[in-house]
Amino acid sequence: MVLWRILRTSATRSQAGALLPWDHRCNSITMRYYSAKAGAKSSQKPQKKSGAKKPGDESGPGAAAELDRGVIDEKALRSRLLAEDEKNPSLNVGPNGRPLFTSTPTLSQLTRRDACSYFKFSKKGLNAVLPEGLPKGMVAEFEDSMRESLIVRKSFLDLRDNFRRIVDPPLDGKGIKARKQIVLDGPLSCGKSITLAMLVHWARDEGWLVFYAPRGWEWTHGGYFYKNPHTGLWDTPLQAENILKDFLKYNESQLKQLHCHIFDPILLGEGAGVGWMKGIDSMPVPEGSSLFDLAQIGIQHSHAAVGVVVRLRKELSLVKDVPVLFAIDQYNSWFTFSEYEEPMTLHSTRPVHAKEVATVNAFRSMMHNDMMVGAFSHSTAVGKLRQDLPDVPVDARVNLPRYNVDEAATVCHYYLRQRLINPEAFSEVMWKTVYCVCNGNGSEMRSLLPLIQ
């Protein structure tokens, strides 16, 4: 009944055609054209074209262009009004009169009192601290709300404090035991990737060395793949080169100050599309090389890229001068089959499991003493995995919840502040109805709230 009222009201407004500054329908209305399959025939007889345009007929490229102009105009109007709203602090009010935004300047200084309030980021700062890329959910939130702010959730504070206790344990030795290896699990759109990205942001603000892989799925899909006879694993040189480049984007200055501890030659594999190097099966690591120098070897020599990534994992375990954190998003894609297939006979192939890919094999295990967080992602369509994962501690999995009632209240007031919601229709009954319909799914709430009249 509720959804029927939402859709009926949305259709009525669509016919009226009036776009108000708070109206967000234009962000979700997109003209998409699909071409029919070749050779497909219509069951209806062709009709003669009429030179005169029928009343009310607004289809065609002209109508699409007019809609696009309307979308641009509405966004520009909303952006201008939001800029004016910034001059009025009285609008920054959350549920029960609480401040909507926290005044705490850094993620490190956030306390439990800041939960259920919004933390302000800057686009420039996020791109500088997370140059590997932002999660899709975070980008969608910023684009729809037209503001770089995220709600402070208790799940993030718990995760941050867990790793803080590892580096700075309490003097009395009391308190909850910290875990070095954690797997973030939970239902669709509960904020796993965003929580992981915020943790990486905090750790880098603290000066930690963080190996952040925001797209773990790409490690097992695309590019060239070869079976290395020396290791029995599958080499993916293009992915390995990209892994090294991403790692240097933020950590270059730190890596130049950290020296290698292992100087064994790097075993070579096949290069990306160029085969084996003739007469050379290894590449030396010069004495006194830094971790930056090691990464450069893999970037400059495609044959050594995979070997360097594997060696880098071992080297990072030996770093003692600075805390090291491994943060892997889409971690569940490493426990299923990759895109690759191994020919078995002339007419059959065998799917290659992710654990058989050399780079994944080097980073997947959590059976070590290093700090590591892996976040599951439903966007990879991996499916449900068993509770006890191989090479993962039994107590490592942490289930993140969707929005609770208090968080949903803050989120809805924030969207009202950002002109995503019609102020005339906003009420406690309205937002609680949407919250129940969406079962706390943040993405669905963000899509449905602007439709309420």
Side-chain angles (χ1 to χ4, degrees):
M1 183 66 180
V2 175
L3 287 177
W4 176 81
R5 289 179 58 190
I6 293 173
L7 296 176
R8 181 185 177 185
T9 310
S10 176
T12 303
R13 292 193 53 244
S14 178
Q15 294 174 1
L19 291 178
L20 300 180
W22 46 262
D23 192 351
H24 190 58
R25 286 183 300 106
C26 57
N27 285 346
S28 59
I29 298 177
T30 307
M31 300 302 293
R32 297 182 180 178
Y33 300 93
Y34 297 93
S35 59
K37 293 182 179 180
K41 297 182 179 179
S42 174
S43 59
Q44 299 180 356
K45 294 182 180 180
Q47 298 179 355
K48 293 182 179 180
K49 295 183 179 179
S50 175
K53 186 176 180 180
K54 296 181 180 180
D57 185 9
E58 299 180 355
S59 61
E66 185 177 352
L67 178 60
D68 291 339
R69 286 194 297 271
V71 170
I72 296 174
D73 293 342
E74 192 275 339
K75 286 185 176 180
L77 174 60
R78 181 170 164 233
S79 177
R80 185 168 66 252
L81 292 175
L82 287 174
E84 295 176 359
D85 291 344
E86 287 296 320
K87 303 175 184 178
N88 187 2
S90 63
L91 297 176
N92 302 330
V93 179
N96 300 322
R98 298 197 309 266
L100 189 58
F101 298 95
T102 176
S103 59
T104 305
T106 65
L107 293 174
S108 180
Q109 295 175 322
L110 290 173
T111 65
R112 301 288 166 171
R113 290 175 293 182
D114 296 308
C116 287
S117 61
Y118 270 80
F119 182 85
K120 297 179 182 179
F121 293 93
S122 68
K123 187 175 182 179
K124 182 178 179 181
L126 282 171
N127 291 333
V129 180
L130 301 173
E132 298 92 340
L134 304 180
K136 291 182 180 179
M138 183 183 290
V139 174
E141 172 71 20
F142 292 163
E143 289 180 350
D144 289 346
S145 64
M146 290 190 175
R147 190 188 191 105
E148 287 77 27
S149 297
L150 293 172
I151 186 171
V152 179
R153 304 189 64 190
K154 181 177 178 294
S155 54
F156 162 70
L157 298 176
D158 291 341
L159 188 65
R160 181 204 63 181
D161 293 344
N162 173 81
F163 287 100
R164 177 180 281 171
R165 287 195 300 271
I166 295 175
V167 178
D168 297 317
L171 298 177
D172 56 5
K174 299 180 180 180
I176 303 174
K177 181 181 179 181
R179 287 183 284 185
K180 288 190 173 183
Q181 299 84 27
I182 292 178
V183 175
L184 300 179
D185 196 1
L188 178 67
S189 296
C190 69
K192 298 180 289 293
S193 297
I194 293 179
T195 300
L196 180 66
M198 291 179 67
L199 179 72
V200 173
H201 194 302
W202 164 77
R204 285 178 170 172
D205 287 346
E206 293 291 295
W208 293 19
L209 178 62
V210 183
F211 183 96
Y212 180 40
R215 297 172 299 277
W217 179 85
E218 294 182 358
W219 288 35
T220 59
H221 291 73
Y224 296 94
F225 60 103
Y226 312 102
K227 193 165 188 177
N228 192 317
H230 302 295
T231 62
L233 301 175
W234 292 83
D235 289 352
T236 50
L238 283 180
Q239 280 88 338
E241 182 180 342
N242 291 331
I243 291 169
L244 295 171
K245 289 179 178 178
D246 283 347
F247 187 49
L248 293 183
K249 286 179 180 178
Y250 183 85
N251 302 299
E252 179 176 338
S253 59
Q254 279 185 309
L255 295 177
K256 288 181 177 179
Q257 302 174 7
L258 298 173
H259 294 283
C260 294
H261 294 82
I262 306 173
F263 297 98
D264 297 336
I266 302 291
L267 292 178
L268 302 181
E270 292 190 51
V274 295
W276 293 87
M277 292 186 69
K278 295 183 178 180
I280 303 176
D281 58 1
S282 64
M283 186 168 292
V285 178
E287 292 284 342
S289 296
S290 65
L291 294 185
F292 173 79
D293 299 328
L294 177 64
Q296 284 295 325
I297 294 175
I299 294 174
Q300 296 172 3
H301 304 280
S302 177
H303 301 82
V306 175
V308 168
V309 171
V310 175
R311 175 66 59 83
L312 183 64
R313 175 64 186 88
K314 299 177 181 178
E315 288 283 2
L316 292 177
S317 294
L318 301 176
V319 174
K320 304 300 181 184
D321 299 335
V322 62
V324 178
L325 174 68
F326 298 92
I328 312 297
D329 202 357
Q330 301 176 350
Y331 184 60
N332 51 333
S333 63
W334 290 2
F335 293 89
T336 185
F337 290 98
S338 69
E339 186 185 43
Y340 312 129
E341 295 182 347
E342 178 183 12
M344 302 302 292
T345 65
L346 188 61
H347 302 287
S348 65
T349 59
R350 177 188 70 86
V352 175
H353 198 277
K355 66 182 180 181
E356 301 178 68
V357 178
T359 52
V360 174
N361 184 273
F363 281 82
R364 191 183 78 157
S365 175
M366 286 189 174
M367 296 299 186
H368 47 66
N369 199 39
D370 302 324
M371 292 184 290
M372 181 172 177
V373 184
F376 284 5
S377 174
H378 292 280
S379 63
T380 57
V382 169
K384 189 173 180 63
L385 298 174
R386 67 186 191 184
Q387 186 67 27
D388 54 329
L389 296 174
D391 302 322
V392 175
V394 177
D395 61 344
R397 191 175 297 197
V398 174
N399 286 298
L400 297 187
R402 288 177 173 171
Y403 288 148
N404 58 35
V405 175
D406 294 334
E407 291 171 338
T410 302
V411 168
C412 292
H413 280 77
Y414 172 71
Y415 290 157
L416 178 66
R417 161 67 176 79
Q418 294 303 114
R419 295 180 177 268
L420 270 174
I421 302 177
N422 179 2
E424 297 177 357
F426 184 78
S427 66
E428 183 176 359
V429 174
M430 181 271 277
W431 72 256
K432 283 187 176 180
T433 300
V434 175
Y435 169 70
C436 293
V437 169
C438 299
N439 194 24
N441 185 314
S443 178
E444 292 181 1
M445 289 180 61
R446 191 172 64 245
S447 300
L448 281 181
L449 283 168
L451 303 178
I452 304 296
Q453 303 305 305

